[in-house]
Amino acid sequence: DAKTTQPTSMDCAEGRAANLPCNHSTISGNEYVYWYRQIHSQGPQYIIHGLKNNETNEMASLIITEDRKSSTLILPHATLRDTAVYYCIVPTGANNLFFGTGTRLTVIP
Amino acid sequence: EAGVAQSPRYKIIEKRQSVAFWCNPISGHATLYWYQQILGQGPKLLIQFQNNGVVDDSQLPKDRFSAERLKGVDSTLKIQPAKLEDSAVYLCASSLTPNQPQHFGDGTRLSIL
């Protein structure tokens, strides 16, 4: 079952930073937060994950609050190719991903 | 590295027919997953394998769906007989271990007439 809450949709201007929020207030101390995205007609793509420290990779940054009840995925310079549905997931069981409905990000030219 | 390969990319069948999907995971990935994604929804896990053993098949409709991973590498998912509500995209994913990120194929889009 869903353990995260995300806005249904967001817009972002091309070249600007896209900040996608996620609430996971019931997260346990040893549970990770994962972010995936799904571009139209493709399978989901892994972006980043973290436990309690902020993380950065070539795709994005993940900022996790100190109480771990929420996080923000940051795409520093959004492009049109970043238009996708973004899923914030706290895996359950043996890496069971419940995708929910995610946030539909539209990057506007 | 090569990604997760799935075939066919599209399949159209009539209800009550049978269909099979094939998945080749990323080399060395011990964990394999099958998901069903109905239009407008997020993917839903059907079954998870660790090598050639089933870890979780609690969401698999076992009266009509079956899956196997005989040699711990490739996997097939079968539906017999198909129903109209089985129209969906069937996604395969793999991970190095159960605690590592999952990598997805682009799926098989199944349409039931």
Side-chain angles (χ1 to χ4, degrees):
Chain A
D1 292 324
K3 298 179 67 173
T4 64
T5 304
Q6 300 177 251
T8 303
S9 63
M10 294 180 63
D11 292 340
C12 177
E14 187 178 17
R16 303 296 293 270
N19 298 282
L20 291 91
C22 178
N23 289 321
H24 31 79
S25 58
T26 61
I27 194 169
S28 300
N30 62 348
E31 291 180 320
Y32 283 78
V33 180
Y34 279 75
W35 283 83
Y36 287 78
R37 74 180 183 184
Q38 189 169 25
I39 295 169
H40 183 63
S41 296
Q42 296 182 20
Q45 177 188 24
Y46 164 75
I47 302 174
I48 198 168
H49 72 286
L51 182 62
K52 56 182 178 180
N53 297 320
N54 297 337
E55 302 287 345
T56 296
N57 62 21
E58 65 278 5
M59 289 183 68
S61 295
L62 175 60
I63 308 299
I64 303 174
T65 58
E66 193 169 342
D67 64 6
R68 302 212 326 120
K69 292 185 177 182
S70 65
S71 61
T72 301
L73 179 75
I74 301 173
L75 308 178
H77 305 287
T79 71
L80 298 179
R81 287 177 292 183
D82 292 321
T83 292
V85 178
Y86 288 76
Y87 296 98
C88 169
I89 302 170
V90 176
T92 61
N95 202 16
N96 189 342
L97 305 181
F98 181 84
F99 278 82
T101 54
T103 296
R104 182 172 299 277
L105 175 69
T106 301
V107 180
I108 301 169
Chain B
E1 83 187 340
V4 175
Q6 291 189 246
S7 68
R9 190 77 171 91
Y10 303 93
K11 188 74 176 179
I12 301 173
I13 63 172
E14 295 184 348
K15 61 183 178 182
R16 292 188 289 273
Q17 286 188 324
S18 302
V19 64
F21 314 123
W22 173 82
C23 173
N24 178 238
I26 293 173
S27 178
H29 281 198
T31 315
L32 185 146
Y33 314 78
W34 282 101
Y35 288 82
Q36 179 192 60
Q37 185 171 23
I38 293 172
L39 186 64
Q41 300 180 16
K44 183 186 81 171
L45 179 69
L46 292 175
I47 189 168
Q48 177 182 347
F49 291 93
Q50 180 64 23
N51 296 309
N52 60 352
V54 176
V55 174
D56 182 358
D57 63 356
S58 57
Q59 299 301 308
L60 188 72
K62 299 180 187 61
D63 57 333
R64 297 182 300 105
F65 286 66
S66 64
E68 60 184 13
R69 194 185 183 200
L70 293 176
K71 298 183 179 179
V73 181
D74 293 4
S75 177
T76 57
L77 176 70
K78 297 179 181 178
I79 306 175
Q80 180 181 9
K83 292 185 174 182
L84 292 176
E85 62 258 35
D86 298 332
S87 292
V89 175
Y90 291 86
L91 295 158
C92 179
S94 70
S95 61
L96 195 59
T97 69
N99 295 321
Q100 294 294 311
Q102 296 180 29
H103 299 271
F104 286 77
D106 285 335
T108 297
R109 183 176 297 276
L110 176 66
S111 298
I112 312 293
L113 303 179

